[in-house]
Amino acid sequence: MNSLATLADQLRRNPALQELEEGTLRALAARLEAVAFAPGEVICREGEVGDRMFLIAAGEVSVLKTGERGEFVEITVLRAGDLAGELSLIGPTVRSATLRARGEAQLWVLSHEACHRLLAEHPPLARALLAHLGRHLRRETSTVARLLAQDADRRFKVVCFDTKPYIEAVFRERNHEHFSLRFIEARLTLETVSLAAGANGVCAFVNDTLDASVLEELSELGVGIVALRCVGYDNVDLAACARHGLAVTRVPTYSPHAVAEHAVALMLTLNRRTHRAHNRVREGNFSLSGLVGFDLYQKTAGIIGTGQIGQCTLRILAGFGCRLLAYDLYPNPALTAETGVQFVPLPDLLARADIVSVHAPLTPQSRHLINAAAIQQMKPGVMLINTSRGALIDTAALLEGLKSGRIGYAGLDVYEGERPYFFEDHSDRPLADDLLARLTTFNNVLITGHQAFLTREALRNIADTTLANLREFEAGRRGAALTHRVPLPSTPHP
Ligand code: NAI
């Protein structure tokens, strides 16, 4: 026989009860009655009136609904810690399903009367049960939505968040009607996550919110896979994905050329000031004052991160006759043999480069890699290019560098506070982000709104890889069998 303290401890493991105080848990434990059920024994019957709530202590319990021909259909299986019959605590209610022990099962039973006394004496218990009922109701509503949707269309369903017309067009073209695709303009957030009801998978992008609460909701809605249509996955809580058994895939490469060529476009525009020249000529101003550039030939370019995009950038710059320096956690001798690039420690690169281009991913280690100290080490008048992730650069430090002239040019396709702005038209409102607003005032700063990837070839590759990732999941592949999976941390044992 369990002591009250041990039972209270067991009760605390139930998510619905875990925030209750010891006193309340013990009072609840004292009113629970232990009942054992034999394999196959019916605990309560659908259609009968009942006034007891059940908490499964051990074993498994089938939840059965009567089908059209009177047969039992198993809706779900309850296991230790699960609650059933909670509605009967409000008063005697007609049972909506039959509960039957699958094998030996131990249940804790709480009668309606005992519960009423408890609720009067322990208001936090009432609050916890109401919150639990709310969650339960939401889950059930989603299940109904999912079943209705599945009934109408038996294809694997994917809801694509944060989509634009150019994304929808290319996904529809490459899908060949295989998946049922739904395109939603809104970003994935806690407010919009319910739009994934009925979907088997979601397709998400860089600015979608994939934190623990959104992922929990996705899993409750029955979504099994988050198919990212981007390279980076720094916006995904991977531990939460592991906890909820959600697979995560990405598009590891779609066109490194697209991003590298954009980085070089920023360099050329900033250097030769074609953006300013274009504006002048349109105004009938053909003056060349202030448009003096420099030869790229024999200038030193420093590439931070020599993965796929960094390598493409190096090859293009080698074509201009630049001297090449690189910094990476893993120097690549084959790249040195091919392009002549010299791998150096970061401080050396910063001190020697005329152009610094950042192509490392955003990780806890690389966050604000370019900060005030790093900027101090750079050559006066240096050109800084970032087409990777905004938070690699400390924007406040960059502004100081621009104001002091230490930084002569900045080309940014990404910005650490880009999420509320990029990919959307904000031209009819004031720009409330002071750092971004200040950056736009410099004529030696060129900002593009995360468009480095945006070429026809890249869009086609993004759609093809994302759809292939989804097809693998649909075919039952999981874990390492998913070609482009994002590795998840192993789940801690409860
Ligand atoms: P990759 O994974 O092929 O290469 C990344 C390289 O960075 C690797 O060689 C790695 O060793 C190195 N690295 C990692 N941490 C580092 C650190 N702390 N310091 C120095 N080097 C480090 O990635 P890929 O395909 O070249 O993409 C790079 C980044 O570009 C992505 O992580 C993504 O954030 C960004 N990107 C931006 C796009 C845009 O439209 N602006 C589009 C696609 C990617």
Side-chain angles (χ1 to χ4, degrees), residues 230-234 250 252-256 259 262 304-311 327-330 346 358-363 365-367 369 386-389 392 413-414 450-454:
C230 50
V231 178
Y233 45 87
D234 46 273
R250 64 180 186 130
T253 175
Y254 35 88
S255 174
V259 184
H262 191 78
I304 300 178
T306 52
Q308 308 194 60
I309 297 170
Q311 289 182 28
Y327 166 69
D328 195 292
L329 300 180
Y330 306 97
L346 184 59
V358 187
H359 300 284
L362 178 62
T363 61
Q365 193 186 358
S366 67
R367 190 180 180 78
L369 189 72
N386 186 7
T387 54
S388 197
R389 283 289 182 269
L392 288 161
D413 186 51
V414 285
H450 210 136
Q451 73 172 75
F453 72 98
L454 199 63

Side-chain angles (χ1 to χ4, degrees), residues 53-77:
M53 181 188 83
F54 306 103
L55 172 62
I56 320 299
E60 290 184 335
V61 171
S62 293
V63 180
L64 306 162
K65 288 285 283 181
T66 314
E68 278 178 5
R69 288 178 299 281
E71 79 288 10
F72 274 143
V73 181
E74 188 173 74
I75 303 293
T76 186
V77 176

Side-chain angles (χ1 to χ4, degrees), residues 267-268 271-273 292-303 313-314 316-326 339-342 349 351-357 379-383 409:
M267 290 174 201
L268 292 173
N271 172 22
R272 304 310 299 269
R273 295 163 162 91
V292 180
F294 58 84
D295 286 7
L296 275 174
Y297 179 70
Q298 295 283 291
K299 292 295 175 302
T300 302
I303 302 297
T313 313
L314 275 170
I316 298 171
L317 294 175
F320 279 99
C322 290
R323 297 196 170 99
L324 300 173
L325 298 178
T339 63
V341 64
Q342 190 188 347
L349 180 149
R352 291 164 58 191
D354 301 297
I355 300 169
V356 173
S357 194
K379 272 187 167 177
V382 64
M383 179 185 288
Y409 316 76

Side-chain angles (χ1 to χ4, degrees), residues 122-141:
H122 297 277
L125 179 62
R127 278 200 294 278
L129 282 175
L130 271 178
H132 167 73
L133 284 174
R135 281 195 297 271
H136 185 67
L137 192 63
R138 211 160 37 163
R139 247 196 326 267
E140 298 297 295
T141 317

